[in-house]
Amino acid sequence: MPQEPFRVWLRCVATTVSRSGNRSRRTTRTLWEATDRRIGQVGNGAIEVTLSFALLVGQPPTTLADAFPRVHWELFLLLPRKGLNYRATFHVPVLAENTLLPE
């Protein structure tokens, strides 16, 4: 498979909602972000990219969807190509330190 350069971003996003009467306003801001460039393998309808990011200590974990402020982490990949660019966004759960997962 041919190798191609990808741009990748990992970011932590907080969403808040403020209400005034019958109106509500949703505000989104980036709390933390890292970017990188990687070489990936592209071919046969598949894309393979190996990624790793070091998170700073003290970053907020992912919260439940109905919690406000809501915090979520997303991974964004971009493969610029002539004609049609490949873009994908993935939500990545980030757990608090010392969180025990069920077995």
Side-chain angles (χ1 to χ4, degrees), residues 5-54:
F6 279 83
R7 290 202 56 204
V8 294
W9 292 263
L10 177 64
R11 68 183 195 150
C12 177
V13 178
T15 302
T16 57
V17 174
S18 58
R19 290 179 174 37
S20 176
N22 291 341
R23 295 180 156 207
S24 64
R25 179 177 174 203
R26 187 175 300 255
T27 304
T28 302
R29 67 185 175 103
T30 300
L31 302 177
W32 183 87
E33 181 176 49
T35 62
D36 199 1
R37 292 183 186 269
R38 296 293 174 143
I39 299 297
Q41 305 264 340
V42 179
N44 298 327
I47 298 173
E48 181 180 320
V49 180
T50 302
L51 302 173
S52 66
F53 286 94

Side-chain angles (χ1 to χ4, degrees), residues 4-7 78-82 84-86:
E4 300 204 35
F6 279 83
R7 290 202 56 204
L78 172 64
L79 171 59
R81 304 183 101 183
K82 287 185 179 179
L84 186 61
N85 293 330
Y86 173 79

Side-chain angles (χ1 to χ4, degrees), residues 45-93:
I47 298 173
E48 181 180 320
V49 180
T50 302
L51 302 173
S52 66
F53 286 94
L55 300 181
L56 295 174
V57 173
Q59 296 303 315
T62 301
T63 59
L64 298 175
D66 60 352
F68 285 100
R70 178 178 182 250
V71 175
H72 74 274
W73 289 77
E74 57 189 25
L75 179 68
F76 178 75
L77 289 99
L78 172 64
L79 171 59
R81 304 183 101 183
K82 287 185 179 179
L84 186 61
N85 293 330
Y86 173 79
R87 294 178 181 172
T89 303
F90 303 93
H91 287 271
V92 180

Side-chain angles (χ1 to χ4, degrees), residues 57-59 61 94-102:
V57 173
Q59 296 303 315
V94 173
L95 303 176
E97 287 186 87
N98 301 321
T99 300
L100 296 176
L101 296 174

